[in-house]
Structures are given as structure tokens and as C-alpha cells.
Amino acid sequence: PWAQSLDTGALLLQRPGDGGARLGQLSRAYRVNLTVLALVALFTGAFLVFSVLSLSVTQRLPSFALLGVLGLDARQRQYLVWAESVLLGAVGSLLGVALGTALAWAALRLLGGDLGGGYFDAIAPSLDWSPLAAAGYGALGIGAAWLGGWWPALAVRGMAPAQALKGWTMQPDRPGGLTAWSGPALLLLAFGLCWLPPIDGLPLAAYVAVACGLLGGILTLPVLVRLGLGRLAPWVQQRPLALLALERARRFPHSASIATSAVVASLALSVALTVMVGSFRESVMRWLDTVLPAELYLRAAPAAGGAETARLTPEFVATVAAMPGVARVEGLRLRTLTLDPRRPPVTLIARPLRSAGDSAAASAGAASRSSATNSVPLPLVGQALPWPAQPTATDPATVATGDSSAAAATGAPRIAVFASEAMAELHGASLGRELELPGLGPPGVRFVVTGIWRDYARQQGSLVIDAQDYARLTADHSVNDLSVYLQPDAPADLRQRLEQASGGLYELSSAQDIRKISLGIFDRSFAVTYWLQAVAIGMGLMGVSASFSAQVLARRREFGLLQHIGLSRRQLLGLVAAEGALWTLLGAVAGLLLGLAVSVVLVHVVNPQSFHWTMELHLPWARLLALALSVVAAGTLTAWLSGRLAASQQAVLAVKQDS
């Protein structure tokens, strides 16, 4: 069904829908990653449902015990809690689909299809609401709610009704019969999945690895709680309240895990997104510093035929170069090449890459390779190869005139090109490989991939060729962009002179302007991740509140007994706040470590497999520590507010009723 190139190389046969299909291929990774980010809400929502249903089950424990005594067996009690979770998920999914549709409509109206990223400015998408997709997302919401109600349902099934009527609480130390090795097993599975290649161009295995890693880390939390708190016991021997809080967490590690599971999940995802976005932004900033070496840039306004048809006139280039205060100018030529009709065309960039000495040696047909391999003004990934040696008997006129017979007799010329990471991944342009670029130069010319460079502007792939090589092959000396290097003593009004000389036909921007616009586009593109982080943290704190409320209700007699033996209301509040601080601190540490592990997967696996470019890992420690400390403070406050119920008179009355 795809178009096939004709043997002449000059024509390309296409179907009417091929252009749209290639555009969809270009935006597919962007759409899939947004969908996966949206599923973060379902993941944290499952933990929120788990916390809420745990609270609900604890509040209604006497009712479940009475139903059990009256004849409701264990399986029926389990099905009852499952039915509640499914009903809760159905109502939430219905409201979520309606709210999500409204938010999608508002986002398209205000930000566009790329959420303000600027990638598809020429496209004004309309809301495409699919009943099938909405039903699918609703089913996912119901499934997440049912999964969140799994363990509370099993806890109700395993309770002893007669003991529960007497006020004995359920033992949470073995939720669902999970063994101690299930968490480490999931972590090992996640590590193995990270090494799998993408499936149909998508990092599906890496997504599953992230989910397995999060679940494995949460299931491993009880073991870490017991081991970590054991080392803190000698430090609190002289502090009774702290020792009481510490020993309870040690004796009931699953209770601490239940209380902090939502915090661990939400904080881990927030940390991972923060590190991923911060690493990408830092890499983009360094990339801009490399690709924008000049002070000013002139660009021809895009014409109807596209950016490559909008050119600067030679007279205007000469005028700019002769202006006082201009040190030198460098032209940049852009062209598109269709190498694979199934994929979007790649961008060919012709710009000066070699020094004058290297260019003279190449033009003279030097037999030895140039030693200046890393002086190209590109953000290279790794080391570049030496410039390819030219056949000694090849006359430069052979290349210019296209005499293929002479070229074949004396050896085909070899031209250096630098491929972007996306070009290397999508089209197999690995380091040292020889390429054929149809329509670029005479037949027989071989293009050698001399280096791989990082290009964040062109996801479809790009090639960079030296401007002199390009002009010699094509006899095309036109340029689309012009880099203007200024002298140290350049006049202050030079920019105004350039704007007057352009006559409004060309766009003039400084490196600072381009940098500011690029980072602004980046921030708008990833603004949705900050909202998702806020939602995840809020849902995690709601889960902490529900978990601590359930713990308070389940321990009313314990708190009443502590008040009977002399613990004051202030001390009781301090005990609950200390437990909240300790548990959320453990959750914050676990979430921080787990989030860093997930961020490594996002940076080094998901991002290269999705967008075919790499970036350096950058850890914004100040932001991460502030995020973790804010979660600890919010969790402590939540526990203190829940402890106010424990310090009330109902706790004392609970002990009297039990006697």
C-alpha cells in the first residue's frame, strides 16, 4: 500500500493518504507517551481506592462481623466488597470520561493538538470523541478500582466474625497471601524488561518494566521497613513515645506499607517525571549552546512551497557581510530528502563544517585522511571518524560535471555526512556506513557517515553535510538561514541596520531570542507533566489520610488504654504525629529511590526508543528534596489531624465498652 520510488529516482508515486500517514507516524510517539502519562492517574487511583476501601472496611467491621454471624460466608463478604469497588469505579469512570472530554476540548481550543508545543502549528485539530475509546478508558477505570479493592476484600474474607464482634482487629501482615519474594521478583523482571527492544517502534516493554518496578518496590517496602527501623531502635531507647511509634512500625510493617503505599507510588512517579523533564531541559539548553554559536540569525520567511524554497538572495548576504561590526557570516541550506516512502522525509543541512585547511586538502584530493575529526560545530555523540579519504586520481571536475564513467574509472568520491541519532535509528545510518542519497550529486557518489550528532529539532532524522561539498555536488549556492558573527566592538545599532536592510522580507533573531522561544515551547509542551505530578501527589496524600483514619479507627481501644494509663491528650497527638512523620519519611525515602530508578528507565530506555535521541541524566537535587520534604510535612499534618479523633473521649469510652 505504500508508495514505491521509481527507478529514475526523480519521481515518487504516492497515494492520496500517504502524507497524512507519514504525519501520523511522526506524532505517534508523542501521542503514545501522553496516553501513558494519563494512565499514571489510573495507577495512583488504584492505591487511592485501596486506601478508601480499607478505611470503609475498618469503619464497618462490626457490620461485616454481624453479617458473618448471621450467615454471610467468607466468599460472599469478599464479593460484596468487590461489588462496592466496581460500583465506585463505574461512577468515577463515568465522571472521569465526562470531565476528560471537557478538558480535551478546552486544551484543543487553548493550546492546540500539541498542547502548545509548537510542533503542529499549521494544524487546527477538532475534538475526535470515540465512543469505543471512551468505553475502553471507562473499563480501565473500573479495573483500577476493582484492583484497589482486591486486598480489602480479601481481608474481609479472612476475618473471624466472632472475634471481630468483640473488637479484635484484622491482622494486616499477610495481605492477599503475598510472599516475601514477590517484590524482589518483580524488580528483577523490571530490570530484564529494560533490555528488550521496542515493539513496532514503541517502548512497550519499558512501560511494563516501569509498572513492575513500582509494584515490586511497594511490595518490598515491608522488608525495608523492618530492616531500616531496626537500626534506629538504639537511638530512641530513652524516648518512650518515639520508641512506641518505632516499635509499632516494626511489629506491623504491612500497616506502615499500607499507609504509605499511595505516597510511594505518587512520589516515585513525580520524582521520575521531574528528573526526566529536568534532564531533557538541561540537555536541550546545552544543545542550544552548541547549535547557536553566532550572535544573530537571519531567516527567510517561509514561502508557500515550504522552508527550503524560502531563500536569502546573494546580494543581501553580501550586504550583511560588508556591514561594519560583522566579523563573518555563515550560510545554512535546508533540503528534504525522501529516503523511505513509508517514513517522513529527512532534512539535509548544508553548513560549514571544516576549517580552511581541511577544505583545501579535500578539494585537492588528499590521499590521507584528515586528522581534524572533532572540530565540527555539532553536538556529537561519541567520537567522530576521520574525514573520508578521496581517490588520488579523481579530478574535482569529475564530481562537478557528473562524469560517472570517469568517477568509476578512478574511484567513486566519498563525501562525509553527519547523521542525527534519529537518522541512525530509523534509516540505519550507523557510524562508518556508506549511504546513497538519491537526487544529491551525480551517480556513484558515496556518502560516509562520519559522525553521529544530537538533533532535538527533527524527530524524523537529519543529515549534515559540509557547505562546500554540497555546493560542489549540486551547484546550489543559495542559503535559507544566515548566522551573523559580530566583532567585539560592533555598533550598538547594528541590529536595527540589519532589520532595515532586510526590508521586512527576512526574520532577524538573536541567539538569546531563539533560546528563550525554544525553552518556552519546551515548557509549554511539558506543562501537562507538572499537572500530573500535582494530581498524583494530591491523590497520594488523600490515600495517607484515608489510611491513617482507618488506623485510628482500628486502634481506638489501644489509644483509650494509653489514656487510661496516663498518656495526656498532647502526648497522644504527638505519638500519632510521630508515627505519621516516621511512616511518611519511610515512604518518601522509598519513593525517592524508586523514582530515581524509574527516571533512569525513562531517560535511557523510554526516551531513546520513543523519539530516537538520547540525553544526559540530570538530577535536580534541590527540587527533589523539596518535593520529598513537602510530602513528609503534609503526611505528618494529616496524621496529626487524624490523631485528634484518637485523643477524643470516644477512645476512652471504647475501652469501657470493651470491659
Side-chain angles (χ1 to χ4, degrees), residues 350 354 358-365 387-388 390 394-402 413-416 440-442 445 447 465-477:
R354 292 180 293 193
D358 295 333
S359 300
S363 299
W387 289 82
Q390 300 298 328
T394 302
D395 184 74
T398 301
V399 180
T401 58
R414 303 169 77 241
I415 306 298
L440 187 63
V445 178
F447 297 89
I465 186 174
D466 184 68
Q468 294 187 12
D469 289 338
Y470 174 79
R472 189 170 64 254
L473 291 172
T474 63
D476 181 9
H477 297 272

Side-chain angles (χ1 to χ4, degrees), residues 533-544:
Q533 292 178 47
V535 170
I537 291 295
M539 296 176 71
L541 292 177
M542 291 174 63
V544 170

